[in-house]
């Protein structure tokens, strides 16, 4: 995968992104293109210039918050691509990965970095908890048999291959990242310093669009 930062993902990196954010980004960009280009072509007076400034401002912001965020998990490092920054953390520098109302990685200095690409879904957590409760109830009611229980989960609850409780997808991803950190945290190749790079390729056009729009609105 091609990324805008200088340290591109390797073939061995696991990439995590939010499908819903990607879908929302595509739809918002399509809407911005439709409205913006219509104003550019059909607008009169200062309208085309205002539309152009708005596009320069809005398009990078939409990309930054929807299409850009990603988390790359490799053997030696965790790379977090957020809207305006890219954070590279060798596994030896990762103190913990915390899940609450947001998913975060904390380095050994105590600095927290939010994982924008792995959003917390409270709805998914509640759904997973209900599925787990139904599976346990069905397994208990059927005595661990493979027959379908009243709740429809008897088959899965009684299978010997069922590996652990049902988890929300993003919570399972965080579990996988924690497992990688525990496995690779002491490796020599997974040591180093945490680096943070600002995404000037996003910040610059946003700033330019904001200044141009402010000037156009100010001169009336």
């Amino acid at each position: 995968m091609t990324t805008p930062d200088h340290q591109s993902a390797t073939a061995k990196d696991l990439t995590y992104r939010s499908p819903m954010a990607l879908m929302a980004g595509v739809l918002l960009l399509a809407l911005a293109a439709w409205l913006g280009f219509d104003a550019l072509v059909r607008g009169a007076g200062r309208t085309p210039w205002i539309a152009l400034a708005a596009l320069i401002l809005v398009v990078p912001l939409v990309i930054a918050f929807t299409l850009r965020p990603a988390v790359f998990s490799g053997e030696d490092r965790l790379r977090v691509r957020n809207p305006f920054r890219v954070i590279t953390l060798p596994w030896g520098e990762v103190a913990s990965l915390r899940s609450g109302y947001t998913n975060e990685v904390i380095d050994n200095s105590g600095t927290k970095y939010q994982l924008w690409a792995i959003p917390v879904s409270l709805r998914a957590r509640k759904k997973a908890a209900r599925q787990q409760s139904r599976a346990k109830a069905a397994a208990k009611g059927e005595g661990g048999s493979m027959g379908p229980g009243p709740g429809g989960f008897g088959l899965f609850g009684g299978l010997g291959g069922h590996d652990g409780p049902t988890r929300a997808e993003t919570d399972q991803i965080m579990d996988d990242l924690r497992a990688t950190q525990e496995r690779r945290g002491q490796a020599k190749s997974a040591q180093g310093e945490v680096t943070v790079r600002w995404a000037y390729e996003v910040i610059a056009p946003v700033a330019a669009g904001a200044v141009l729009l402010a000037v156009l609105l100010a001169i009336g």
Side-chain angles (χ1 to χ4, degrees), residues 144 146 155-163:
M146 293 181 63
L155 173 62
F156 302 103
L159 285 175
H162 179 68
D163 55 349

Side-chain angles (χ1 to χ4, degrees), residues 19-116:
M20 293 301 295
L22 294 174
M23 186 181 304
V26 171
L27 292 176
L28 288 173
L29 287 175
L31 179 62
W34 176 47
L35 295 176
F37 284 109
D38 183 70
L40 286 173
V41 174
R42 301 183 181 182
R46 293 187 305 113
T47 299
W49 290 102
I50 293 176
L52 178 61
L55 285 174
I56 295 174
L57 171 64
V58 170
V59 169
L61 285 176
V62 171
I63 293 174
F65 285 97
T66 59
L67 306 184
R68 176 179 167 81
V71 172
F72 304 96
S73 173
E75 284 295 294
D76 297 328
R77 64 182 183 176
L78 178 70
R79 193 155 55 87
V80 181
R81 193 172 70 194
N82 282 343
F84 300 111
R85 295 190 298 177
V86 177
I87 305 102
T88 301
L89 304 101
W91 286 117
E93 286 295 314
V94 175
S96 64
L97 289 139
R98 186 168 63 187
S99 297
Y101 290 104
T102 61
N103 288 317
E104 302 170 331
V105 57
I106 304 172
D107 66 18
N108 289 334
S109 69
T111 305
K112 297 184 293 185
Y113 305 100
Q114 186 174 343
L115 305 179
W116 281 79

Side-chain angles (χ1 to χ4, degrees), residues 115-204:
L115 305 179
W116 281 79
I118 310 177
V120 169
S121 172
L122 298 180
R123 180 180 180 182
R125 283 181 178 174
K126 292 178 181 179
K127 181 179 179 180
R130 289 196 299 267
Q131 289 178 345
Q132 182 181 348
S133 298
R134 291 171 183 170
K136 287 182 178 179
K140 183 177 180 180
E142 293 296 320
S145 68
M146 293 181 63
F153 290 86
L155 173 62
F156 302 103
L159 285 175
H162 179 68
D163 55 349
T166 302
R167 297 276 282 164
E169 184 178 5
T170 54
D171 289 338
Q172 182 59 57
I173 290 173
M174 294 297 289
D175 289 345
D176 294 342
L177 293 177
R178 292 186 189 100
T180 302
Q181 191 276 331
E182 292 176 1
R183 178 172 57 87
R184 297 291 299 169
Q186 301 302 318
K188 287 185 178 181
S189 59
Q191 308 305 313
E193 296 182 355
V194 176
T195 61
V196 178
R197 186 184 72 84
W198 287 96
Y200 293 108
E201 66 274 14
V202 174
I203 297 172

